[in-house]
Amino acid sequence: MITEEQASQVVAEILGHYKKRKKNLIPLLQEVQTKLGYLPRKALREIAEFLDIPEIEVWGVATFYNQFRFVPLGKYHTMVCMGTACHLAGGRLILEALERELGIKVGETAKDGSFSLERVACIGCCMLAPVMVIRDRIYPKMTPFKVEEALIPYKQEVQNLNNIKKSKSK
Ligand code: FES
């Protein structure tokens, strides 16, 4: 994972390409999120200082749009399509099954950084509804039972990694 110092360097580099104009706030937030995967609190402060506006104003704008995230994505970022076709085909049940299985809510990342969960709009394969995506892999025609099945190898991998970390720290 990127350190705070590295993140600040990335932000400084991005800021270097912009003029100090308030209208650049959203493009700046977007670019920082694209590069870092989320908006760290420190980055919001740095953007506020750069634009010479109160930090609370940057927070206000960032939290208004649900495209912005304030926690890093998990190793296995999981998305549930909630576009019309998927919603009608039971997308909500898939989402609930994932929340139950992963122990996190939409928009959250597990404490160990293993999984994160997000709802997205149509991803363009409505014939396969309802659909979920883990990293780049699309899972078609999902049911709550298939969610459980699909997660098994990922959970296994997470457990193995956690066991290795534990044994190294002994
Ligand atoms: S609505 Fe889910 S893929 Fe189109």
Side-chain angles (χ1 to χ4, degrees), residues 53-96:
I53 57 177
E55 191 181 335
I56 189 83
E57 197 174 328
V58 176
W59 265 102
V61 171
T63 51
F64 179 78
Y65 296 99
N66 56 16
Q67 62 176 295
F68 295 119
R69 311 177 44 87
F70 306 97
V71 286
L73 295 179
K75 181 171 191 255
Y76 299 114
H77 183 51
T78 305
M79 295 178 281
V80 182
C81 179
M82 290 300 277
T84 308
C86 288
H87 181 68
L88 291 174
R92 159 92 8 224
L93 295 176
I94 306 310
L95 196 60
E96 285 169 4

Side-chain angles (χ1 to χ4, degrees), residues 25-33 39 44 47 58 61-62 68:
L25 175 54
I26 291 180
L28 272 169
L29 292 170
Q30 286 168 329
E31 194 169 337
V32 169
Q33 176 158 291
L39 296 172
L44 297 181
I47 291 172
V58 176
V61 171
F68 295 119

Side-chain angles (χ1 to χ4, degrees), residues 5-137:
E5 199 179 313
Q6 289 166 328
S8 278
Q9 278 171 8
V10 170
V11 173
E13 210 171 286
I14 293 170
L15 294 176
H17 298 136
Y18 283 84
K19 292 209 164 89
K20 292 185 181 221
R21 299 224 174 104
K22 205 171 152 183
K23 68 170 188 182
N24 288 332
L25 175 54
I26 291 180
L28 272 169
L29 292 170
Q30 286 168 329
E31 194 169 337
V32 169
Q33 176 158 291
T34 302
K35 290 267 165 59
L36 299 178
Y38 74 111
L39 296 172
R41 179 158 200 148
K42 194 160 177 255
L44 297 181
R45 198 178 318 132
E46 288 161 347
I47 291 172
E49 278 166 15
F50 174 75
L51 295 176
D52 201 18
I53 57 177
E55 191 181 335
I56 189 83
E57 197 174 328
V58 176
W59 265 102
V61 171
T63 51
F64 179 78
Y65 296 99
N66 56 16
Q67 62 176 295
F68 295 119
R69 311 177 44 87
F70 306 97
V71 286
L73 295 179
K75 181 171 191 255
Y76 299 114
H77 183 51
T78 305
M79 295 178 281
V80 182
C81 179
M82 290 300 277
T84 308
C86 288
H87 181 68
L88 291 174
R92 159 92 8 224
L93 295 176
I94 306 310
L95 196 60
E96 285 169 4
L98 279 162
E99 286 183 335
R100 220 172 25 247
E101 284 295 314
L102 300 177
I104 53 174
K105 297 278 177 208
V106 171
E108 290 181 350
T109 298
K111 279 201 182 92
D112 64 359
S114 54
F115 292 94
S116 49
L117 181 60
E118 193 176 27
R119 50 184 288 165
V120 290
C122 179
I123 57 168
C125 47
C126 309
M127 298 283 284
L128 306 176
V131 168
M132 77 171 190
V133 181
I134 301 182
R135 284 191 157 176
D136 294 332
R137 179 164 173 194

Side-chain angles (χ1 to χ4, degrees), residues 121-164:
C122 179
I123 57 168
C125 47
C126 309
M127 298 283 284
L128 306 176
V131 168
M132 77 171 190
V133 181
I134 301 182
R135 284 191 157 176
D136 294 332
R137 179 164 173 194
I138 294 175
Y139 290 81
K141 298 191 182 292
M142 293 308 289
T143 64
F145 178 69
K146 283 168 86 177
V147 166
E148 242 177 88
E149 262 187 345
L151 288 174
I152 291 171
Y154 299 104
K155 285 183 167 183
Q156 189 65 57
E157 174 76 20
V158 170
Q159 199 175 348
N160 290 344
L161 288 173
N162 285 344
N163 287 344
I164 292 170

